[in-house]
């Protein structure tokens, strides 16, 4: 299949190219010009288009797939995280403390030590860390260590600076964990995180640009060529513009402004003004940087025990209120954004959160003449029968994070019990009901952005310990790959020119070190990217 054009810039050949293009699903060669694919087909036909200035790459039989589109990826936060203490691999509290102690030795007294990514389920001590643990590392620095999601641990110096004592009340939607004597343990859940986080300065614009540069380079090495960064404030969106202007935006980015429930430090009036007074909505931009939908959030997470559930978490006797917005406002907020023609994505993790958000979308859509939307439930852990019917009827997408299956799936049994755990992220059910599914990482709210860990999780439903979570919800390799590539382009309304390796589409692809479709299931998570092509040019090559 050829699309006649002038001499291509790039030709790749002698490969096993999986195009995800219905008219020609497999081919051996591909040509691109000015960042777009101009031909796909067999070697002899495509290579015949090459000229003296065409770069030709012999794939030597290697597998090619479209570039990954991680359509829920906090890239700016990830780049900033790279500059901080990275604690996601700590297998014990002792190891966590050792990293803080080492950092304190090279940090000026009084300066903050910030780390990100710890997960108590990995700790040999089988408990949460405390301020006393961190105090043993340093009493000269305030320390704040972010869990991978919705919980921080801080030391006594940080609590003192924030004015948090035994007499400090829990903030709305949050909890200060306390010892038997009422003293804070150092654990801050949900909105209580802001008590100390509000003392941290925002990164400077130059720091943000460097962060985006570093994260983008890391993503290219994993075959990620596009991201959607959700929940951004104006200064964060400006950082993307500065990165693009300076040539340091390494991957394509779709920006999703923060809206209700996502930023606890902004008022309803400020958020409504952001949506309405711009006078625009999604799709503004170009192939490198675009404006997306609005990001909302209603609850927290399961392993932090801050999700909105129908029943209490295992071992608890009541349902705590960690909701980030008043549920009574859900329908009003959604109607507001929908009426302004924004696509809306809402963080909904608990089974009650999922159900209520689906109902709110249905109530709005049932009374609207505007039906052209790409609304979605982000995370979509546990679907009720009624919410499944709503999502199918109104084509409300499920934006899921299969890496959560791998890295924290075992903790579901601890927190919600086996029955609910085996309803977790029901991708096969979503697809069988005709519900669009988009697979993403949500890094840094998980351990890693590696899409192959996500693909492995969708195909095997296994955790890193080998536990199968909802095994009946496993999907085919083709379905998993579609969710990580073409589905993301659909979510951001770019499906006409992004995703498949087809003439006229963006030339974004990656070359793998083994065949994703035929290798052993257990090898999927170990696949590495040899080469990433972005906009028709080699953007990463493994040495």
């Amino acid at each position: 299949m050829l699309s006649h054009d002038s001499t291509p810039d790039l030709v790749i050949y002698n490969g096993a190219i999986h195009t995800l293009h219905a008219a020609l699903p497999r081919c051996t060669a591909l040509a691109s010009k000015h960042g777009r694919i101009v031909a796909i087909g067999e070697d002899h036909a495509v290579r015949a288009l090459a000229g003296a200035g065409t770069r030709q790459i012999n794939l030597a039989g290697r597998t090619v797939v479209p570039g990954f589109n991680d359509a829920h990826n906090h890239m700016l936060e990830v780049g900033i995280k790279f500059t901080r203490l990275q604690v996601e691999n700590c297998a014990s509290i002792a190891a966590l403390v050792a990293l803080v102690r080492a950092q304190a030795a090279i940090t000026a007294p009084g300066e903050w030590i910030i780390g990100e990514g710890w997960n108590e389920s990995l700790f040999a001590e089988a408990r949460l860390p405390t301020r006393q643990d961190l105090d043993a590392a340093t009493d000269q620095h305030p320390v704040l260590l972010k869990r991978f999601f919705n919980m921080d641990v801080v030391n006594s110096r940080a609590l003192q600076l924030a004015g948090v004592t035994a007499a400090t009340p829990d903030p709305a939607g949050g909890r200060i964990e306390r010892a038997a004597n009422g003293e804070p343990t150092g654990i801050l859940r949900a909105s209580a995180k802001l008590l100390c986080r509000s003392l941290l300065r925002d990164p400077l614009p130059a720091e943000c640009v460097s962060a985006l540069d570093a994260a983008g380079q890391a993503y290219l090495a994993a075959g990620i060529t596009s991201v959607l960064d959700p929940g951004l404030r104006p200064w964060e969106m400006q950082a993307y513009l500065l990165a693009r202007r300076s040539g340091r935006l390494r991957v394509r980015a779709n920006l999703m402004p923060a809206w209700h429930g996502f930023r606890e430090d902004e008022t309803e009036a400020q958020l409504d003004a952001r949506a309405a007074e711009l006078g625009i909505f999604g799709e503004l931009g170009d192939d490198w940087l675009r404006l997306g939908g609005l990001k909302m959030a209603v609850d927290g997470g399961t392993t932090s025990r801050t999700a909105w559930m129908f029943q209490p978490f295992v071992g608890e006797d009541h349902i705590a209120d960690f909701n980030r917005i008043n549920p009574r406002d859900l329908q009003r907020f959604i109607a507001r954004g929908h009426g302004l023609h924004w696509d809306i994505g809402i963080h909904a993790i608990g089974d009650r959160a999922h159900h209520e958000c689906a109902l709110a979308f249905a109530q709005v859509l049932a009374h609207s003449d505007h039906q052209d939307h790409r609304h979605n439930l982000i995370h979509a852990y546990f679907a009720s029968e009624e919410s499944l019917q709503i999502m199918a009827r109104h084509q409300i997408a499920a934006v899921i994070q299969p890496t959560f299956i791998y890295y924290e799936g075992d903790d579901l049994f601890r927190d919600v019990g086996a029955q609910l755990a085996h309803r977790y992220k029901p991708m096969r059910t979503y697809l069988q009901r005709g519900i669009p599914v988009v697979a993403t990482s949500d890094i840094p709210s998980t351990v890693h952005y590696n899409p192959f860990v996500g693909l492995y999780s969708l195909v095997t439903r296994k955790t890193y310990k080998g536990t199968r979570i909802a095994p009946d919800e496993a999907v085919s390799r083709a379905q998993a790959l579609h969710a990580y590539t073409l589905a993301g382009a659909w979510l951001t309304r770019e499906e006409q020119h992004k995703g498949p390796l087809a003439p006229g589409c963006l030339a974004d692809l990656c070359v793998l070190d083994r065949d994703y479709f035929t290798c052993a299931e257990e090898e999927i998570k170990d696949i590495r990217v040899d080469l990433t092509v972005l906009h028709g040019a080699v953007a990463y090559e493994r040495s």
Side-chain angles (χ1 to χ4, degrees), residues 160-194:
Q160 290 166 2
L161 290 175
V164 176
T165 68
T168 304
D170 289 340
R175 186 163 69 211
I176 303 166
E177 294 294 330
R178 305 171 195 273
N181 63 1
E183 291 293 328
T185 66
I187 291 290
L188 304 174
R189 294 182 190 265
S191 67
K193 305 188 308 291
L194 288 176

Side-chain angles (χ1 to χ4, degrees), residues 40-123:
I40 58 175
E42 298 308 307
D43 288 355
H44 67 280
V46 176
R47 294 192 73 191
L49 301 174
T54 302
R55 180 177 182 181
Q56 297 195 54
I57 299 175
N58 184 347
L59 297 172
R62 288 175 296 178
T63 295
V64 175
V65 297
F68 292 101
N69 188 337
D70 193 343
H72 192 89
N73 179 307
H74 301 277
M75 182 164 75
L76 178 55
E77 289 185 25
V78 171
I80 292 169
K81 176 184 175 182
F82 286 167
T83 69
R84 294 172 171 173
L85 203 58
Q86 296 179 58
V87 297
E88 63 268 18
N89 294 319
C90 289
S92 66
I93 294 173
L96 190 73
V97 170
L99 285 178
V100 174
R101 182 178 290 113
Q103 187 64 34
I106 57 173
T107 302
E111 291 188 9
W112 282 85
I113 294 175
I114 306 168
E116 300 192 28
W118 60 271
N119 180 355
E120 75 279 3
S121 70
L122 303 180
F123 293 161

Side-chain angles (χ1 to χ4, degrees), residues 298 308 310 327 330-331 334 350-363 377 384 387:
V298 67
W308 188 18
F310 277 116
L330 263 176
Q331 185 178 340
I334 289 173
D351 54 354
R352 179 75 182 273
H354 186 294
H355 182 81
E356 297 294 341
C357 289
L359 284 177
F361 274 125
Q363 290 159 352
L377 296 180
S384 65
S387 64

Side-chain angles (χ1 to χ4, degrees), residues 15 19 67 78 81 83 176 198 203 272 277 325 328 330 349 397 402 444 448 489 499 503 519:
T19 67
V78 171
K81 176 184 175 182
T83 69
I176 303 166
S198 62
D272 275 346
E277 294 178 3
I325 59 177
R328 292 193 297 271
L330 263 176
I349 282 185
H448 208 278
C519 70

Side-chain angles (χ1 to χ4, degrees), residues 83-350:
T83 69
R84 294 172 171 173
L85 203 58
Q86 296 179 58
V87 297
E88 63 268 18
N89 294 319
C90 289
S92 66
I93 294 173
L96 190 73
V97 170
L99 285 178
V100 174
R101 182 178 290 113
Q103 187 64 34
I106 57 173
T107 302
E111 291 188 9
W112 282 85
I113 294 175
I114 306 168
E116 300 192 28
W118 60 271
N119 180 355
E120 75 279 3
S121 70
L122 303 180
F123 293 161
E125 295 88 347
R127 64 172 175 85
L128 292 170
T130 67
R131 63 183 173 90
Q132 288 87 358
D133 293 319
L134 301 185
D135 290 347
T138 177
D139 60 3
Q140 299 298 306
H141 309 81
V143 180
L144 186 153
L145 303 181
K146 299 180 180 181
R147 186 178 181 270
F148 65 88
F149 181 67
N150 217 30
M151 190 192 305
D152 293 347
V153 61
V154 299
N155 69 348
S156 297
R157 183 75 176 272
L159 289 173
Q160 290 166 2
L161 290 175
V164 176
T165 68
T168 304
D170 289 340
R175 186 163 69 211
I176 303 166
E177 294 294 330
R178 305 171 195 273
N181 63 1
E183 291 293 328
T185 66
I187 291 290
L188 304 174
R189 294 182 190 265
S191 67
K193 305 188 308 291
L194 288 176
L195 295 169
C196 287
R197 288 194 189 186
S198 62
L199 303 179
L200 307 178
R201 69 168 178 85
D202 290 333
L204 299 172
E207 293 171 331
C208 290
V209 171
S210 294
L212 289 171
D213 190 338
Q217 292 187 61
Y219 291 173
L220 288 171
I224 298 169
T225 54
S226 293
V227 301
L228 185 158
D229 194 336
L232 298 172
R233 289 171 287 184
W235 66 267
E236 293 168 312
M237 291 186 282
Q238 184 184 67
Y240 273 93
L241 288 168
L242 293 172
R244 170 74 191 283
R245 180 180 293 176
S246 61
R248 299 177 71 185
L249 184 61
R250 305 296 179 181
V251 300
R252 306 185 194 278
N254 193 288
L255 311 183
M256 200 174 189
W259 210 38
H260 294 288
F262 190 69
R263 296 294 185 185
E264 299 96 330
D265 54 349
E266 295 183 291
T267 67
E268 181 176 335
Q270 287 175 307
L271 294 170
D272 275 346
R274 178 173 302 156
E277 294 178 3
L278 290 174
I280 57 174
F281 45 88
E283 299 179 86
L284 181 70
D286 59 21
D287 291 333
W288 286 96
L289 189 61
R290 296 167 68 90
L291 190 63
L294 297 174
K295 169 69 184 295
M296 291 179 63
V298 67
D299 67 342
T302 50
T303 57
S304 60
R305 296 195 166 211
T306 54
W308 188 18
M309 307 295 293
F310 277 116
Q311 299 295 327
F313 287 102
V314 173
E316 297 183 1
D317 58 7
H318 70 284
I319 300 172
D321 181 7
F322 292 108
N323 286 341
R324 295 194 249 181
I325 59 177
N326 190 322
R328 292 193 297 271
D329 293 327
L330 263 176
Q331 185 178 340
R332 178 166 61 88
F333 291 160
I334 289 173
R336 175 73 164 153
H338 177 79
L340 292 168
H341 294 270
W342 288 96
D343 296 328
I344 299 170
I346 184 165
H347 169 117
I349 282 185

